[in-house]
Amino acid sequence: MRATTIHAPFDMRVEDVPDPELQQPTDVVVRVLRACICGSDLWAYRGEAERQPGQRIGHEFLGIVEEAGAEVSGFAPGDLVVAPFVWSDGTCEYCAEGLQTSCPRGGFWGSPGSDGGQGEAVRVPFADGTLVKLPAGAASDDRLLTALLALSDVLGTGHHAAIGAGVTRGSTVAVVGDGAVGLCGVLAARRLGAERIIALGRHQVRTDIARTFGATDVVAARGDEAVAAVRELTDGQGAHAVIEAVGTEQSMRTAVGIARDGGAIGYVGVPHGSGTGLDLSLMFDRNIALRGGVAPVRAYIPELLPDVLDGTVDPSPVFDLTVGLDGVPDGYKAMDERTALKVLVKP
């Protein structure tokens, strides 16, 4: 089959690789119908996250089950399924607690020795604990299929940030970051009943999507200027809940600066850089809580799926460029240069 591999910074290739095969009786093989490029993939693309030359890449996909191992009970060939961005056994204590990202036998797609989502097919370990079945009819609905793909990562990650930030009905929420996760954080905040949602972003195409998703205000500033603007919008108090979806020192400083005393920050931006942006003394004095981390999206898919199926939540606008498998290297370039928000891949 063909799959995307990374060889060095800015060196993405689509190459012939061995077809995936069942290795354990709990495996399935999924033929990929939709995949995408994640903003976190760009850290490897830019050389800021180490990868082995030739390593697979991509962790968001959905598709059709082609083969199922003898011990797989929940899936059969022909089933349409979505995969969260990690696999998990579904039987350990962490999985039972809804923290599949800490499963001792779990792992990330594209890690050494595993298939990546940006290819024609994927071997899925622990299929019963990992995959979620989708209605068969969705396979013929292009918009719905694209929306469902967001369940593999960005929609669940935005939801995780909103939960961590303590978004409640009637609350004021600020979202730091206008990437796909930040925009899905806006969707999640609206879904949870936030009364006011302030989106921080400087790219009008993205902030227009944020408004469509439910943002009531947009702040096109960074740093101290952004903090001052949010404070002005909130009568000097700041937001009850802050979603941090970038992961830089500056973005975290902004999140702390715009949080209301007694509020909380839900952080899901993959941390990078040497500083954290956190002043624990300041957070202590102002009673600001910090919750978040790697989103256990497998735990959230059953909750979010019905709203995506009935159109109550539609994250599909975050995908603004579509490529075939051969176009994946150009898709990385487009996202790196910020001419694309999130690239959809149709193998």
Side-chain angles (χ1 to χ4, degrees):
M1 71 167 189
R2 300 168 69 244
T4 306
T5 57
I6 182 169
H7 291 262
F10 308 104
D11 184 2
M12 311 299 298
R13 306 177 193 177
V14 179
E15 301 181 304
D16 290 329
V17 299
D19 291 338
E21 298 179 346
L22 301 177
Q23 296 180 15
Q24 301 293 331
T26 52
D27 292 349
V28 303
V29 172
V30 171
R31 173 170 54 87
V32 177
L33 295 182
R34 295 287 187 280
C36 54
I37 301 172
C38 183
S40 64
D41 292 331
L42 295 180
W43 301 117
Y45 179 71
R46 295 166 179 159
E48 297 182 43
E50 187 176 354
R51 294 291 188 274
Q52 299 175 3
Q55 188 172 332
R56 310 283 181 83
I57 196 166
H59 54 261
E60 300 160 277
F61 65 95
L62 58 73
I64 302 291
V65 175
E66 295 280 279
E67 296 180 80
E71 294 181 13
V72 174
S73 61
F75 304 96
D79 286 342
L80 179 66
V81 295
V82 63
F85 63 82
V86 301
W87 69 81
S88 53
D89 63 20
T91 61
C92 72
E93 290 185 10
Y94 285 115
C95 287
E97 294 168 1
L99 193 63
Q100 290 88 343
T101 49
S102 292
C103 176
R105 296 198 289 175
F108 289 79
W109 312 112
S111 57
S114 72
D115 295 322
Q118 295 162 17
E120 293 181 322
V122 175
R123 179 184 72 88
V124 177
F126 304 112
D128 285 330
T130 300
L131 299 174
V132 176
K133 190 181 297 186
L134 302 173
S140 59
D141 185 331
D142 188 67
R143 185 211 58 79
L144 178 57
L145 205 60
T146 300
L148 290 167
L149 176 62
L151 290 167
S152 66
D153 185 347
V154 289
L155 184 58
T157 297
H159 179 73
H160 186 57
I163 294 296
V167 176
T168 57
R169 188 163 300 280
S171 60
T172 295
V173 181
V175 180
V176 181
D178 60 3
V181 170
L183 294 174
C184 286
V186 173
L187 268 181
R190 184 188 69 181
R191 180 178 175 274
L192 292 171
E195 180 176 335
R196 192 172 194 185
I197 304 172
I198 305 167
L200 280 67
R202 298 182 298 164
H203 303 83
Q204 186 173 344
V205 171
R206 300 182 180 201
T207 55
D208 284 349
I209 295 174
R211 289 189 185 277
T212 300
F213 281 2
T216 56
D217 303 271
V218 169
V219 169
R222 299 179 71 179
D224 292 343
E225 186 180 350
V227 172
V230 173
R231 291 270 167 190
E232 183 176 355
L233 286 170
T234 57
D235 297 325
Q237 292 189 348
H240 299 100
V242 178
I243 291 172
E244 192 285 314
V246 182
T248 63
E249 180 176 355
Q250 183 185 60
S251 65
M252 190 61 82
R253 287 191 187 280
T254 298
V256 173
I258 63 179
R260 185 179 187 272
D261 286 15
I265 299 167
Y267 73 107
V268 291
V270 178
H272 47 276
S274 58
T276 64
L278 293 175
D279 182 338
L280 291 182
S281 295
L282 177 63
M283 296 178 70
F284 181 87
D285 290 343
R286 296 177 52 209
N287 280 282
I288 296 173
L290 180 67
R291 293 184 292 268
V294 184
V297 299
R298 178 60 182 83
Y300 299 135
I301 292 175
E303 175 184 350
L304 298 172
L305 177 57
D307 285 354
V308 176
L309 290 174
D310 68 16
T312 301
V313 173
D314 180 13
S316 63
V318 303
F319 299 97
D320 61 345
L321 177 63
T322 300
V323 299
L325 202 52
D326 287 333
V328 169
D330 289 337
Y332 273 87
K333 186 172 186 291
M335 285 183 61
D336 182 52
E337 295 176 350
R338 300 183 75 87
T339 59
L341 168 58
K342 189 169 181 64
V343 175
L344 178 68
V345 181
K346 294 182 177 181

